[in-house]
Amino acid sequence: MIRPRFEDEDEVYIPEIGGDESEFDSVHDRVPHSNAGVALGWSALEQQMFDLLLLNRFAADDQELLDETARTISRLVETFEAHEIARIMAVAMMSFQLAASEDKSFEDEYNRYRDYIKKHPEDLEEI
């Protein structure tokens, strides 16, 4: 899957969360400007959550990718506890590192692991 990249900073929406360091301690009270957020009556938490979701997506014109991301988030929240979601996120970030540093795919390595365990169930890690 090819992800869009933006060379021009003007193409990327980045919410402004503060000016100098004295303002930075009250980030949670600040609501980035969003016409949709104002119209929908979003709280600061809702606005920040959607700013993060939509970061780099305004210029992408890829509604399918955005919808898939939203479905994935909803499924994660319905299925896993917060600490499990944090663990999954950590593994996802490591999978990018695996691809970059070792030229390996997480999916391929997971499938290799599953195939090995099917043939050697005695090697299954005990939890």
Side-chain angles (χ1 to χ4, degrees):
M1 174 172 69
I2 298 175
R3 297 177 190 274
R5 297 187 151 245
F6 302 98
E7 303 300 327
D8 183 0
E9 282 186 34
D10 292 336
E11 292 183 53
V12 182
Y13 170 76
I14 300 175
E16 235 179 87
I17 57 173
D20 60 21
E21 287 186 31
S22 63
E23 292 181 44
F24 198 72
D25 58 357
S26 64
V27 158
H28 298 290
D29 297 332
R30 296 180 59 85
V31 180
H33 298 289
S34 165
N35 291 337
V38 170
L40 294 170
W42 280 349
S43 68
L45 176 61
E46 289 169 314
Q47 184 66 62
Q48 290 173 10
M49 180 175 64
F50 280 91
D51 282 343
L52 285 172
L53 174 65
L54 299 172
L55 195 65
N56 293 338
R57 297 288 187 254
F58 286 121
D61 290 332
D62 192 345
Q63 190 63 45
E64 188 175 316
L65 176 61
L66 181 59
D67 290 345
E68 181 181 336
T69 302
R71 282 191 302 273
T72 301
I73 291 168
S74 295
R75 181 77 174 136
L76 281 170
V77 171
E78 292 168 0
T79 308
F80 298 100
E81 298 292 328
H83 69 280
E84 289 294 323
I85 294 172
R87 185 179 55 79
I88 291 166
M89 289 173 22
V91 172
M93 293 307 297
M94 288 178 194
S95 72
F96 283 105
Q97 185 177 358
L98 180 71
S101 65
E102 299 182 26
D103 197 28
K104 293 181 179 178
S105 153
F106 170 78
E107 184 176 10
D108 291 345
E109 293 305 309
Y110 178 74
N111 289 332
R112 286 182 60 212
Y113 168 78
R114 296 297 297 165
D115 289 343
Y116 178 84
I117 292 302
K118 285 179 186 175
K119 295 174 187 169
H120 303 59
E122 68 278 6
D123 286 344
L124 182 65
E125 284 82 5
E126 291 189 24
I127 299 174

